[in-house]
Amino acid sequence: MKRKFILKVLIFMTIGSIQFGWIQKLLTPDWNDAGLTNIAISDTERTIHGIDALAVDELDVVFFGSSHVYCGVSPMELYKNYGILSYVMATAQQPVAGSYFLLEKIYETHCPQTVVLDVSTMFSEVTLPYWRYILDNLEFGALKYRMAKEYLRAGMATGESDGLFSVMFPIIKYHSRWVGITKDNFQPKSRNLYTNGQHMINRIVSSPYSIEDVMYETQMLSDYHSGMLTESADGVFSQNTICEALYTPSVTEENLKFLKEIRRLCEEHGSRLLLIKIPTMQVPQWYEPAWTPVKSSIISSIAADNNLLFLDMLYGCEPLVSFVTDTLDWGCHLNSFGAKKISDYLGGYLLENNLAESRSSLLYSEFLQKYEKVYSMMELQTTDVFGEYIDMLRKRKNDSTILIAAADDYISGLTPEDYGLLKELGLELIDQGGGRDSYVGVISEGKTIYEAVSDYEIAYQAEIANVDVEIHSRNGWMKDPGASVTVDRQEYAMSQIGLNFVVYDHETGLVIDSVVFNTYDMAKYCSRDYARGILLLRDYESALCFDGW
């Protein structure tokens, strides 16, 4: 009788523990932010757990650091061009202590040949929320407990603390999130990260600065040690000298301690430690993590003192990226086009210095196929040269439906060469239009299934690739000229003067691009809706690469 009672208690406790864990998981943020409103926290859960998909011998190089790393390094490019098996274990403003504990997690199942640490956060003070992004995604256990203790110690130093139980049992902190739960929270979320930690971002926002600007501003700030304050209070004037250095970056003792702990951990497991810096192009007045010659010199000294390799890819190399085309936010982070260039340089460096070897992997090859499809889609979304865009459409037309509608006037800026490209795409009537004529073209699975030109408006409706499509073109002679392209009753056309393109991908069943080229003008300026493009990219990536969002 006593045994039955004990058995019932054990069963009850087991079921209760499972239910508690499920509810806690439901309420705890996974920090898989699908959008780019905050690039800092997207895909954190997948980053931390995606490495579990790799076999014990499928990891030679692992990268740690902040958002500069997951924006600026591409494991798939390293594998494609050099056969390097790598993973990016970077998180938003990753504390150096966080890098240490995540490295411990990796050593539980893998033994990388080289550990690479970006030094951006070596100069950062403790910012507790960024610890939680890691802690909330660690399994309950000894590793999480030890990181939690370090987190609480750091919190006491700054007067902040969540409490040990809140860290170990996140439901305490996030219990009120139940009011925002939707059916999407109950959907399975894939931990399979096909990029091995890189975040795919195709936004292009150029930096307003050059490397000379950054060096000049840094020098001016470093040399400025005093200022004058002139005041008037109740008619009494006074002047005071202010002696305060404006720019004195330094590595904190805490960060230096954990850097040495990372080095010790690497030595214990026979790994090499490489310090790197992903390029940024911002001035320190506006961006605290801005990489400057002063910071570079400090890290160089630390590396020399600790017998570590340091690769500065801004001040220690020839220019590797363009801060006109390869940055996503005015020079603070690289986009995926910049990451491709950085990874190409890194791959050569790693092999030349015997920090990695070239190997093959069926899993990496599978991931690479998905990566290349997403990268190709991002190129399509960012191409702003008319001829290049038409060439890209020609290469992918067999797997897509291309919907084209003219607005107002589409011919005035087109040249014979442009018409030649459009003919190669499969459009036979487009050169028959006159000034301000309407035009509609539809290409599906490589065939032109409808095309029309008119000096009146054109309306077309059909079911194509299992979706309802409606297209309207109103020329410059009509009242309210414009263009409309709806797919399943959702409007996608930019409806601006020129040729409006909408591209529908058959593999995923999704619209992947919407753009207009002002072909009324010889320059054929390109216009896109950036916010919509981000959503199209994320939906495509999710449908193609993730089993559940």
Side-chain angles (χ1 to χ4, degrees):
M1 192 74 176
K2 187 175 181 181
R3 289 182 178 178
K4 289 184 178 180
F5 175 77
I6 293 174
L7 181 62
K8 288 180 180 180
V9 170
L10 290 174
I11 292 173
F12 176 80
M13 292 179 66
T14 300
I15 294 174
S17 298
I18 293 172
Q19 290 179 330
F20 175 81
W22 181 81
I23 294 172
Q24 177 168 263
K25 176 64 178 172
L26 183 67
L27 295 177
T28 302
D30 54 26
W31 307 114
N32 285 340
D33 182 358
L36 276 183
T37 52
N38 189 345
I39 65 165
I41 62 175
S42 60
D43 283 335
T44 305
E45 182 188 36
R46 288 196 190 95
T47 296
I48 291 177
H49 295 288
I51 199 168
D52 299 336
L54 305 184
V56 173
D57 62 345
E58 280 188 309
L59 182 64
D60 290 337
V61 180
V62 61
F63 294 86
F64 291 94
S66 66
S67 52
H68 295 136
V69 183
Y70 63 61
C71 291
V73 175
S74 172
M76 290 299 102
E77 292 291 341
L78 287 170
Y79 178 69
K80 175 183 176 181
N81 298 319
Y82 297 96
I84 295 174
L85 307 184
S86 65
Y87 192 92
V88 170
M89 187 64 86
T91 58
Q93 290 193 30
Q94 186 175 97
V96 182
S99 302
Y100 169 79
F101 287 106
L102 287 173
L103 181 58
E104 277 202 18
K105 170 181 166 60
I106 286 177
Y107 278 133
E108 291 174 358
T109 52
H110 296 82
C111 192
Q113 181 178 345
T114 299
V115 173
V116 184
L117 176 67
D118 182 87
V119 295
S120 297
T121 52
M122 286 292 293
F123 298 87
S124 301
E125 297 290 342
V126 173
T127 309
L128 293 183
Y130 296 100
W131 288 63
R132 289 297 303 231
Y133 297 153
I134 300 173
L135 282 164
D136 289 345
N137 285 296
L138 290 180
E139 293 92 347
F140 185 88
L143 177 64
K144 182 169 184 172
Y145 175 76
R146 285 188 285 107
M147 185 175 178
K149 295 288 285 184
E150 190 64 36
Y151 165 78
L152 294 173
R153 189 187 65 77
M156 286 189 292
T158 61
E160 306 172 73
S161 179
D162 289 332
L164 181 61
F165 280 100
S166 172
V167 178
M168 298 302 294
F169 301 101
I171 194 173
I172 296 173
K173 181 178 179 67
Y174 303 116
H175 65 277
S176 61
R177 290 187 73 243
W178 68 270
V179 297
I181 288 178
T182 67
K183 64 180 181 179
D184 291 337
N185 294 95
F186 294 90
Q187 298 296 320
K189 295 179 175 64
S190 170
R191 287 183 170 182
N192 184 354
L193 190 56
Y194 73 102
T195 60
N196 275 1
Q198 179 193 8
H199 294 184
M200 301 298 284
I201 305 170
N202 62 349
R203 184 183 185 188
I204 299 175
V205 182
S206 303
S207 171
Y209 303 105
S210 66
I211 193 168
E212 290 77 19
D213 294 330
V214 175
M215 295 176 71
Y216 173 80
E217 293 292 328
T218 302
Q219 188 64 49
M220 292 297 291
L221 290 171
S222 300
D223 291 344
Y224 195 94
H225 295 292
S226 65
M228 183 67 68
L229 173 65
T230 302
E231 295 178 298
S232 173
D234 297 327
V236 178
F237 288 88
S238 62
Q239 283 188 324
N240 294 288
T241 300
I242 302 172
C243 295
E244 181 180 342
L246 294 182
Y247 188 65
T248 54
S250 61
V251 170
T252 68
E253 289 297 322
E254 191 75 8
N255 289 338
L256 187 58
K257 179 188 82 171
F258 275 102
L259 174 62
K260 293 179 179 179
E261 286 295 298
I262 291 172
R263 182 190 64 181
R264 177 189 60 77
L265 200 58
C266 289
E267 290 173 350
E268 288 179 359
H269 290 84
S271 303
R272 295 282 302 277
L273 176 59
L274 168 66
L275 306 183
I276 66 167
K277 181 64 196 79
I278 303 295
T280 65
M281 191 58 67
Q282 264 288 344
V283 293
Q285 300 99 309
W286 295 107
Y287 186 55
E288 189 274 333
W291 191 243
T292 66
V294 175
K295 289 183 176 180
S296 182
S297 177
I298 292 172
I299 295 298
S300 295
S301 297
I302 291 174
D305 292 343
N306 291 273
N307 195 28
L308 296 173
L309 293 172
F310 173 47
L311 175 61
D312 185 338
M313 288 181 281
L314 183 62
Y315 299 110
C317 304
E318 293 297 316
L320 300 178
V321 298
S322 164
F323 286 98
V324 175
T325 60
D326 298 334
T327 172
L328 67 95
D329 49 3
W330 299 276
C332 299
H333 297 84
L334 299 180
N335 56 32
S336 294
F337 309 121
K340 181 183 178 77
K341 297 175 182 177
I342 288 296
S343 301
D344 186 54
Y345 181 84
L346 267 174
Y349 181 90
L350 291 169
L351 292 183
E352 289 168 11
N353 290 275
N354 299 315
L355 297 171
E357 58 189 57
S358 182
R359 298 197 288 137
S360 62
S361 160
L362 291 176
L363 182 62
Y364 277 71
S365 297
E366 177 187 327
F367 286 168
L368 180 59
Q369 290 180 5
K370 295 179 179 180
Y371 167 84
E372 290 189 316
K373 288 182 179 180
V374 176
Y375 193 90
S376 175
M377 185 250 195
M378 295 197 311
E379 287 184 310
L380 181 72
Q381 279 196 336
T382 53
T383 300
D384 57 5
V385 177
F386 182 75
E388 293 179 4
Y389 188 80
I390 301 303
D391 189 54
M392 286 187 174
L393 292 183
R394 183 177 57 80
K395 292 176 181 177
R396 67 188 311 141
K397 68 179 182 178
N398 291 335
D399 304 314
S400 309
T401 292
I402 302 167
L403 309 167
I404 309 163
D408 196 354
D409 184 303
Y410 77 90
I411 74 162
S412 298
L414 291 176
T415 66
E417 290 77 14
D418 295 330
Y419 281 122
L421 290 171
L422 293 167
K423 289 273 188 178
E424 289 180 22
L425 185 61
L427 304 175
E428 296 296 332
L429 299 181
I430 195 164
D431 62 350
Q432 302 299 307
R436 293 187 173 181
D437 275 359
S438 302
Y439 175 82
V440 165
V442 180
I443 301 170
S444 187
E445 296 182 331
K447 299 178 181 178
T448 303
I449 62 174
Y450 181 79
E451 194 176 9
V453 62
S454 174
D455 57 4
Y456 200 70
E457 65 180 309
I458 303 172
Y460 173 78
Q461 182 177 359
E463 182 178 302
I464 305 173
N466 299 317
V467 294
D468 293 324
V469 171
E470 290 188 31
I471 310 177
H472 294 270
S473 174
R474 293 173 59 85
N475 63 42
W477 303 111
M478 312 297 296
K479 182 180 180 182
D480 298 325
S484 172
V485 177
T486 65
V487 178
D488 276 344
R489 294 173 293 282
Q490 184 171 347
E491 180 64 65
Y492 286 98
M494 295 292 293
S495 194
Q496 296 177 18
I497 186 171
L499 290 175
N500 292 258
F501 294 84
V502 173
V503 184
Y504 176 83
D505 176 69
H506 291 179
E507 182 178 8
T508 58
L510 294 169
V511 170
I512 60 173
D513 195 28
S514 173
V515 63
V516 60
F517 286 91
N518 182 0
T519 51
Y520 172 77
D521 191 294
M522 290 296 295
K524 292 179 279 290
Y525 296 110
C526 168
S527 295
R528 284 188 172 88
D529 181 338
Y530 165 70
R532 171 189 280 172
I534 290 298
L535 294 177
L536 296 182
L537 172 60
R538 291 308 177 213
D539 287 345
Y540 176 79
E541 185 182 33
S542 178
L544 183 70
C545 305
F546 298 139
D547 301 321
W549 187 250

